[in-house]
Amino acid sequence: MATNGNQAMDEDKSPAPKNYQEYLMLQNLLKCQVLQSEKAGKPVHDEHLFIITHQAYELWFKQMLFEIDSVREIFVVPTMDESRMLNIINRLQRVSLILKLLVDQFIILETMTPLDFLEFRQHLATASGFQSLQFRLLENKLGVKQENRIKYNQQHYMKVFNDEESIKMLMDSVEQPSLLAVVERWLERTPGLQRHDFRFWRAFETSVSRWLDETIYQPYIEETDPKMKETLMAEYQKQKDSFDTILDPIKYNTFVERGERRLSHKAFQGALLISLYRDEPRFHQPYQLLTLLMDIDSLMTKWRYNHVMMVQRMIGSKVGTGGSSGYHYLRSTVSDRYKVFLDLFNLSTYVIPREYIPPLTMSMKRTLSTLSTEVESGIEDQSSSLESSDQSNEDTSQVMFTM
């Protein structure tokens, strides 16, 4: 213990970097590109590009992990300070932009031809992108479900990691709350889900019923053409059955148990509430957050797809260097199984026209506003005759999404 302490003190006393090279430790970083083909006595030009590209990926993976860890730390507190929302959005925007860069980076690697790659491929031995520890950590920390993973050579993905440090990092990434888990808990606290003066879910169910009756069922009643009547009834039943899967908690939870939905029923309600009332001032940033989470999910899928296409271009249907089925294995990962925020994409299925969205009560309107105290007082005076005194005196300065 004393030795470790002395080492830490020695490191603290190390001189400050004198210049750009020392600050970035370029003397070490730029020596990391070791061509195995050169060691074998026959250097292959494009191996240098291959190494640089993958090292760049790993550096950006490290930055994304850094950002996501910081966002999870902000979310994990029992009462989240609303003022931190801007930090969350900025950091997730950064993750999104990095992923866009990584998606586009494939076009540089594709300047290498399959024949060029074949010249040094044998030097990779069993090395494979599947062994990227940071990418697995990224998937876990975002919230990829372990049971949804496609097996690699009929084995669990962790089997390719043998050192204790990597295994511990992977286990920690699984056991700690993922971004999906902390966002889920945050959504469950959305204002409007359990207020005495505005019960969103009950009002939404009524609005859905009215919308279906007025736009589909009523035309069905009035229709005289038997074929059109049959079509309208089929459409009505289809829409009703679809909405029943979210309105009925038992049906909703059945989909969760089957792994077809990720969010709890209450969190899904919160996400839908934010989506429908995104024009309200205090929902601007939460809605932007939900959009960013979908952007990240979409870009991860695009990254996987571009990777699949590159592998097919380079090796066709050959077996991968890590022993996997190569293209066929990677192709199986481009699916909803690996989508973390799948439920946010499906919100649009249950969005209803603006004219049918339940109107907010004055008290709920105040909660979601950013008006000054003086203006709020004026609204309160004007609305006192419309709402009971206990609603009028409700605290309007509450912080969003608290426990």
Side-chain angles (χ1 to χ4, degrees), residues 148-160:
N148 288 347
R149 287 183 176 278
I150 305 294
K151 285 191 174 181
Y152 176 75
N153 289 340
Q154 302 305 311
Q155 291 184 331
H156 193 276
Y157 77 99
M158 285 192 189
K159 294 292 184 181
V160 302

Side-chain angles (χ1 to χ4, degrees), residues 187-190 193-194 252 263-271:
L187 285 170
E188 288 173 349
R189 304 194 295 265
T190 306
L193 294 182
Q194 291 184 317
Y252 184 93
L263 294 174
S264 69
H265 192 220
K266 191 173 180 182
F268 180 84
Q269 292 176 33

Side-chain angles (χ1 to χ4, degrees), residues 46-102:
D46 280 7
E47 187 181 1
H48 192 274
L49 172 68
F50 187 83
I51 293 172
I52 287 280
T53 305
H54 285 80
Q55 287 178 343
Y57 273 124
E58 291 295 333
L59 283 172
W60 284 123
F61 289 162
K62 185 171 184 177
Q63 184 63 37
M64 287 193 290
L65 286 168
F66 184 70
E67 303 296 349
I68 289 168
D69 281 343
S70 71
V71 169
R72 288 162 61 231
E73 286 175 9
I74 295 173
F75 266 119
V76 81
V77 296
T79 302
M80 197 188 85
D81 184 354
E82 190 181 355
S83 66
R84 302 297 305 277
M85 186 62 73
L86 187 59
N87 293 128
I88 292 171
I89 288 173
N90 284 342
R91 291 168 191 179
L92 290 181
Q93 278 179 333
R94 186 175 295 162
V95 171
S96 176
L97 288 172
I98 291 171
L99 279 169
K100 285 179 183 177
L101 181 67
L102 298 189

Side-chain angles (χ1 to χ4, degrees), residues 120-143:
F120 66 87
R121 187 178 182 237
Q122 73 272 19
H123 296 300
L124 299 180
T126 59
S128 167
F130 191 86
Q131 297 157 355
S132 170
L133 172 65
Q134 290 195 120
F135 189 73
R136 299 305 163 202
L137 292 174
L138 183 61
E139 290 179 321
N140 290 344
K141 291 185 178 190
L142 284 172

Side-chain angles (χ1 to χ4, degrees), residues 64 92-104 106 135 291-306 339 345:
M64 287 193 290
L92 290 181
Q93 278 179 333
R94 186 175 295 162
V95 171
S96 176
L97 288 172
I98 291 171
L99 279 169
K100 285 179 183 177
L101 181 67
L102 298 189
V103 166
D104 290 339
F106 280 106
F135 189 73
T291 302
L292 278 170
L293 294 173
M294 287 189 285
D295 288 345
I296 290 170
D297 234 347
S298 292
L299 287 163
M300 287 288 285
T301 301
K302 288 177 182 177
W303 189 91
R304 293 179 193 279
Y305 181 77
N306 282 10
K339 258 189 191 156
F345 288 89

Side-chain angles (χ1 to χ4, degrees), residues 185-403:
R185 289 201 289 266
W186 171 73
L187 285 170
E188 288 173 349
R189 304 194 295 265
T190 306
L193 294 182
Q194 291 184 317
R195 291 172 65 101
H196 66 276
D197 63 311
F198 180 74
R199 299 194 177 276
F200 165 66
W201 204 239
R202 185 186 301 170
F204 177 70
E205 185 173 3
T206 301
S207 292
V208 167
S209 180
R210 186 165 64 89
W211 173 55
L212 292 177
D213 284 346
E214 292 178 3
T215 60
I216 304 178
Y217 191 74
Q218 194 58 40
Y220 159 78
I221 296 296
E222 297 170 358
E223 183 59 57
T224 56
D225 185 334
K227 286 188 177 180
M228 183 58 69
K229 201 174 182 72
E230 184 179 345
T231 301
L232 286 170
M233 176 48 69
E235 176 63 18
Y236 174 79
Q237 195 59 51
K238 181 181 176 182
Q239 290 279 12
K240 188 175 183 305
D241 290 344
S242 177
F243 275 95
D244 281 347
T245 65
I246 65 164
L247 294 173
D248 185 338
I250 296 175
K251 289 182 179 179
Y252 184 93
N253 289 329
T254 300
F255 282 92
V256 173
E257 290 167 7
R258 294 207 305 244
E260 295 177 31
R261 285 181 178 152
R262 311 284 194 265
L263 294 174
S264 69
H265 192 220
K266 191 173 180 182
F268 180 84
Q269 292 176 33
L272 187 58
L273 193 156
I274 291 169
S275 183
L276 290 176
Y277 298 97
R278 60 185 179 272
D279 293 336
E280 299 301 321
R282 286 189 183 271
F283 276 166
H284 289 177
Q285 288 184 330
Y287 181 71
Q288 190 177 358
L289 168 61
L290 298 186
T291 302
L292 278 170
L293 294 173
M294 287 189 285
D295 288 345
I296 290 170
D297 234 347
S298 292
L299 287 163
M300 287 288 285
T301 301
K302 288 177 182 177
W303 189 91
R304 293 179 193 279
Y305 181 77
N306 282 10
H307 187 205
V308 170
M309 293 296 99
M310 187 202 66
V311 167
Q312 188 179 35
R313 176 193 292 253
M314 293 297 174
I315 66 171
S317 297
K318 289 187 180 78
V319 174
T321 50
S324 75
S325 56
Y327 165 76
H328 296 292
Y329 164 76
L330 292 171
R331 186 71 184 86
S332 66
T333 66
V334 185
S335 69
D336 284 351
R337 294 170 68 102
Y338 282 82
K339 258 189 191 156
V340 176
F341 298 98
L342 180 64
D343 298 316
L344 300 182
F345 288 89
N346 291 332
L347 280 176
S348 56
T349 308
Y350 308 105
V351 169
I352 58 177
R354 287 182 185 273
E355 60 266 30
Y356 288 94
I357 296 175
L360 298 173
T361 60
M362 290 301 297
S363 178
M364 184 63 182
K365 193 83 172 170
R366 288 196 303 274
T367 297
L368 300 180
S369 76
T370 54
L371 297 175
S372 65
T373 306
E374 292 79 6
V375 176
E376 283 186 4
S377 299
I379 292 175
E380 229 175 272
D381 292 340
Q382 293 173 18
S383 63
S384 59
S385 60
L386 300 176
E387 298 186 30
S388 61
S389 58
D390 62 323
Q391 292 175 354
S392 297
N393 294 328
E394 188 171 352
D395 179 22
T396 60
S397 61
Q398 62 176 305
V399 177
M400 288 277 289
F401 308 114
T402 57
M403 290 291 275

